[in-house]
Amino acid sequence: MARSTSTADDEESQPLSPVVIMGTGLVGASIGCALTAVGEDVRLRDRYRSHAVVAAGLGAGSVEHPIPTSVHLVVVAVPPQAVPEVVDWALSHYRNAVVTDVASVKAPVLADLRTRGRDLSRYVGSHPMAGSQYSGPLTATATLFVDRTWVVARGTGNEASQRMVERLAVMCGAHVVHLDADEHDRAVAEISHMPQLMSSLTAARLRDVPASDLLLAGQGVRDVTRIAGSDPALWRQIITANSTEIGTQLRAIRGDLDRLIDQLDDPDAIADLVERGREGVAALPGKHGRKIGDMSAVVVEIPDTPGALARLFTDIQAQGINIEDLSIEHGLSREVGYLSVAVDAERAPDLRAAMVRAGWDLRS
Amino acid sequence: MARSTSTADDEESQPLSPVVIMGTGLVGASIGCALTAVGEDVRLRDRYRSHAVVAAGLGAGSVEHPIPTSVHLVVVAVPPQAVPEVVDWALSHYRNAVVTDVASVKAPVLADLRTRGRDLSRYVGSHPMAGSQYSGPLTATATLFVDRTWVVARGTGNEASQRMVERLAVMCGAHVVHLDADEHDRAVAEISHMPQLMSSLTAARLRDVPASDLLLAGQGVRDVTRIAGSDPALWRQIITANSTEIGTQLRAIRGDLDRLIDQLDDPDAIADLVERGREGVAALPGKHGRKIGDMSAVVVEIPDTPGALARLFTDIQAQGINIEDLSIEHGLSREVGYLSVAVDAERAPDLRAAMVRAGWDLRS
């Protein structure tokens, strides 16, 4: 069912313009920046005109009126709950335009639209898998979607509408993946929404931990709970909209958790769970799926002097050792930072020795 | 009850030597390296003599025989299950030595030792909160414990024995925290073991996710599941040994999970959970407790050319902007890497503009 996105036919040489973007948050404004950067005529609309003006200032498009009626494409990038109503409005208002949305849950939007009785041949659901744990009006950028996955919902819109939304994704630098709306919602429940809730559940428990116990916190709990710092207002809408698929995931986790609680005194059962977790991590695509045992961390104290990190990287790269991962850690009590550099385990001793020779202080 | 560790009395000017370290894995060998570096006479023992020889080669001490009977301190750094038996043996074999262990669970070790009927005035339980997701014989280093927390179990050993183990911790560069064995085990269940199992439970679910859905994986699921890549052989022992405290934590999580499953269609309940998670993250000590909203990520494509990272850091640091966090991300399909630099949200636009002026490609 996957369609090619690389063929350049006559249709694809046509501009998308004029394009209307409704909703100028991080995703809407970034799409505007990407399209403006390649010469498209982008018009911005937002419930709060001041937001659209800020986005225009970032290069996302124009807030001029009136908007021509000859609009070819409307991108609806409003908060999830408002999407069906705004898509419906756009379909009726721009009679010749293809309308797409970027909501992170697809089947409920489609179901809602179907109850409204309008012809949906010009509506295509989509979901660019970008965004960021950081949000806010100033984080928009033309390259937010470069090398990211952009899901185009199969079975929504006619062939020409699908093609136009695929072109939108490709123009933003993304890779198109075709999934049915139901498949998409299952996938994000598995790979995004369930992990988000596991992180929040873990982090919420820390509220009851005495401050003296929190002193024992290491890097592990910080990694697990990092995305628990995300925006409650956004997640209340996402989780509620995808509650059926998320419920399936969470009930499976509850089954696993019940078994774990029953088997806490069984070493083989514990080892089996941890091993299954390793297999799950290894299944993730890309370098991040490498098993941790293949790498070793070299941790260098970062002196509190200007340019220290630059000098440090100069010394590391002089060794010709590939850096697999990087993070900054902070000392518990001293105002000191450490740079943790993960490299191939076999090369780690060489790097450590070289760093010591270059006068750096190592931690591990 | 907390004792000062900074007083320098006559006793503290005495050497610890000779010190015997039993078990030369990451923790034992690193303690050996730290003590050797400050001039102590360290003797290494391991069930597998070749491991001790490797550790000696890293500077952890000597494998010479015979070991003098005048040993002052024995550090038991064997796998958790073997700790009570080896501590008991050390107490009987080295009649004048203080014996400590570094197992990550303290109450069961103490309970086991008490059933053996030996005088425990020379035994002090301890737990250096170091180690690393990376393990293996070559990762030992004298600075593994610098600026880390080292728990010394209150109520174990007599006053002089406690003092000697505190000196050991301080000589390794750690900060001493005094906790009862029960308090310690509760704290690590809350802050380490429970998050570890939540990560494994999340990661284990990914095994059932179709490969096409895994393409949608972003940074969030990778963060949550990173520590799930840890060693099953180690964790089977840790979890089993601390099953009572971990059970308490997991039953509390199950209660939270049951409520969540019941309330998935209640937006206010979802927002409340996410908000409680944010509060938990904020409770963690150090900069990592900052709410994510305060920071913004600037993501720069790393060219595949020698020295690129060093040049990149030179350009970043020329802006005089404090780097709060760093990570490397990998492109999904292209062999390209991105450096994600988290900075104060207000400074991010300046940094982005400067990076573009300097010719770097940004992603977000």
Side-chain angles (χ1 to χ4, degrees):
Chain A
M1 286 288 289
R3 295 185 185 86
S4 165
T5 58
S6 58
T7 51
D9 54 22
D10 289 347
E11 178 190 276
E12 296 201 6
S13 62
Q14 304 286 322
L16 297 177
S17 303
V19 177
V20 173
I21 293 177
M22 305 188 69
T24 53
L26 171 64
V27 172
S30 293
I31 293 173
C33 290
L35 295 182
T36 300
V38 294
E40 298 285 342
D41 173 13
V42 178
R43 307 303 177 95
L44 305 173
R45 290 184 65 118
D46 198 291
R47 183 177 168 189
Y48 302 102
R49 189 165 184 279
S50 61
H51 290 193
V53 170
V54 167
L58 292 168
S62 151
V63 290
E64 281 168 40
H65 278 81
I67 293 177
T69 51
S70 59
V71 163
H72 286 133
L73 176 65
V74 179
V75 179
V76 175
V78 300
Q81 283 181 333
V83 167
E85 187 181 341
V86 176
V87 167
D88 189 62
W89 180 90
L91 287 169
S92 76
H93 193 78
Y94 299 105
R95 293 283 177 174
N96 298 308
V98 171
V99 178
T100 189
D101 74 307
V102 297
S104 51
V105 182
K106 301 266 61 91
V109 170
L110 188 59
D112 184 314
L113 285 170
R114 282 178 175 151
T115 66
R116 292 168 191 257
R118 198 178 301 280
D119 169 25
L120 294 177
S121 60
R122 289 184 289 120
Y123 165 72
V124 176
S126 79
H127 181 203
M129 303 295 296
S132 155
Q133 58 190 336
Y134 311 103
S135 65
L138 292 177
T139 56
T141 159
T143 52
L144 184 65
F145 310 102
V146 172
D147 209 28
R148 300 290 178 115
T149 295
W150 190 311
V151 176
V152 175
R154 267 197 301 243
T156 61
N158 60 24
E159 184 73 18
S161 304
Q162 283 262 336
R163 283 287 164 91
M164 184 172 279
V165 175
E166 289 164 9
R167 285 174 60 206
L168 166 69
V170 171
M171 286 175 90
C172 289
H175 307 283
V176 173
V177 169
H178 293 92
L179 291 173
D180 292 341
D182 288 341
E183 290 174 340
H184 167 275
D185 292 355
R186 181 197 66 208
V188 290
E190 293 161 343
I191 207 76
S192 169
H193 305 167
M194 181 274 282
Q196 174 71 39
L197 290 169
M198 292 294 276
S199 182
S200 290
L201 285 167
T202 306
R205 276 281 122 212
L206 300 179
R207 295 165 73 239
D208 298 332
V209 173
S212 56
D213 292 4
L214 289 173
L215 284 176
L216 277 57
Q219 198 57 39
V221 64
R222 297 180 201 279
D223 283 345
V224 175
T225 60
R226 186 163 295 129
I227 57 171
S230 300
D231 181 13
L234 177 63
W235 280 98
R236 68 180 285 161
Q237 296 191 27
I238 294 175
I239 302 298
T240 311
N242 204 22
S243 60
T244 304
E245 291 291 351
I246 295 170
T248 301
Q249 290 294 314
L250 292 183
R251 281 188 292 274
I253 286 274
R254 181 168 60 186
D256 294 344
L257 178 57
D258 284 341
R259 271 185 295 282
L260 172 61
I261 290 173
D262 288 345
Q263 298 176 329
L264 274 177
D265 291 313
D266 177 352
D268 290 341
I270 301 297
D272 182 58
L273 169 66
V274 177
E275 182 55 38
R276 282 184 287 121
R278 279 166 73 99
E279 291 168 12
V281 172
L284 287 170
K287 285 191 178 183
H288 288 281
R290 280 183 71 165
K291 286 195 183 170
I292 282 170
D294 298 335
M295 288 194 269
S296 180
V298 177
V299 184
V300 187
E301 183 170 330
I302 305 168
D304 185 20
T305 52
L309 270 174
R311 289 201 312 279
L312 181 51
F313 273 90
T314 302
D315 288 350
I316 292 171
Q317 297 209 304
Q319 300 307 310
I321 296 174
N322 199 30
I323 297 174
E324 301 289 349
D325 207 352
L326 274 181
S327 62
I328 285 188
E329 299 177 20
H330 300 282
L332 267 184
S333 56
R334 290 194 294 149
E335 264 299 318
V336 66
Y338 298 96
L339 182 74
S340 174
V341 185
V343 298
D344 190 284
E346 293 183 359
R347 305 298 307 274
D350 292 345
L351 180 58
R352 285 199 187 90
M355 290 291 99
V356 170
R357 280 197 305 274
W360 299 97
D361 291 327
L362 299 190
R363 191 173 69 187
S364 70
Chain B
M1 285 289 288
R3 296 184 184 86
S4 165
T5 58
S6 59
T7 52
D9 56 20
D10 289 348
E11 177 191 276
E12 298 202 8
S13 62
Q14 304 286 323
L16 298 176
S17 304
V19 178
V20 173
I21 293 177
M22 305 189 68
T24 53
L26 172 63
V27 172
S30 293
I31 293 173
C33 289
L35 295 182
T36 300
V38 295
E40 299 284 342
D41 174 13
V42 178
R43 307 302 179 95
L44 305 173
R45 290 185 66 116
D46 198 291
R47 183 176 168 191
Y48 303 101
R49 188 166 185 279
S50 61
H51 291 192
V53 169
V54 168
L58 293 168
S62 152
V63 290
E64 283 169 38
H65 279 81
I67 292 177
T69 52
S70 61
V71 163
H72 287 133
L73 177 64
V74 180
V75 179
V76 174
V78 299
Q81 283 181 332
V83 167
E85 185 180 342
V86 177
V87 167
D88 189 61
W89 180 89
L91 286 169
S92 77
H93 192 77
Y94 300 106
R95 293 283 178 173
N96 298 308
V98 171
V99 179
T100 190
D101 74 306
V102 297
S104 51
V105 182
K106 300 268 61 92
V109 171
L110 188 59
D112 184 314
L113 286 170
R114 282 179 175 149
T115 66
R116 293 167 190 259
R118 196 177 302 280
D119 170 25
L120 294 178
S121 60
R122 290 185 288 117
Y123 165 72
V124 176
S126 78
H127 181 203
M129 303 294 297
S132 157
Q133 60 191 337
Y134 311 104
S135 64
L138 292 177
T139 57
T141 160
T143 52
L144 184 64
F145 310 103
V146 171
D147 209 26
R148 299 289 179 118
T149 295
W150 190 310
V151 176
V152 176
R154 268 197 301 243
T156 61
N158 61 22
E159 184 73 18
S161 304
Q162 282 263 335
R163 283 288 163 90
M164 184 172 280
V165 175
E166 290 164 10
R167 284 174 59 205
L168 166 67
V170 171
M171 288 174 88
C172 289
H175 306 283
V176 174
V177 169
H178 293 91
L179 291 173
D180 293 342
D182 289 341
E183 289 174 339
H184 167 274
D185 291 354
R186 181 196 66 207
V188 290
E190 293 161 341
I191 207 77
S192 170
H193 305 168
M194 180 275 283
Q196 175 70 40
L197 290 170
M198 291 294 276
S199 182
S200 290
L201 285 167
T202 306
R205 277 280 123 214
L206 300 180
R207 295 164 74 241
D208 297 333
V209 173
S212 56
D213 292 5
L214 289 172
L215 284 176
L216 277 57
Q219 198 55 41
V221 65
R222 297 180 200 279
D223 283 346
V224 175
T225 59
R226 185 163 294 129
I227 56 172
S230 300
D231 181 13
L234 177 63
W235 280 99
R236 68 181 284 161
Q237 296 191 26
I238 293 175
I239 302 298
T240 311
N242 204 23
S243 61
T244 304
E245 291 290 351
I246 295 169
T248 301
Q249 291 295 313
L250 292 184
R251 281 188 293 274
I253 286 275
R254 181 168 59 187
D256 295 344
L257 178 57
D258 284 340
R259 269 185 296 281
L260 172 60
I261 290 172
D262 288 344
Q263 298 176 330
L264 274 176
D265 291 312
D266 177 352
D268 290 341
I270 301 299
D272 183 59
L273 169 66
V274 177
E275 181 54 39
R276 282 184 288 122
R278 280 166 72 99
E279 291 168 12
V281 172
L284 288 170
K287 285 191 178 184
H288 287 282
R290 282 183 70 167
K291 288 194 182 172
I292 283 170
D294 301 340
M295 288 195 269
S296 180
V298 177
V299 184
V300 187
E301 182 170 332
I302 305 167
D304 185 20
T305 53
L309 269 175
R311 289 200 314 278
L312 182 52
F313 273 92
T314 302
D315 288 350
I316 292 170
Q317 297 209 304
Q319 300 307 310
I321 295 174
N322 199 34
I323 296 174
E324 302 289 349
D325 208 352
L326 274 182
S327 63
I328 285 187
E329 300 176 21
H330 301 283
L332 268 184
S333 56
R334 290 194 295 151
E335 264 297 318
V336 66
Y338 298 96
L339 182 74
S340 173
V341 185
V343 298
D344 189 287
E346 293 183 359
R347 306 298 306 276
D350 293 345
L351 180 57
R352 284 199 188 90
M355 290 293 96
V356 170
R357 279 197 305 274
W360 299 96
D361 290 327
L362 300 191
R363 192 175 65 188
S364 69

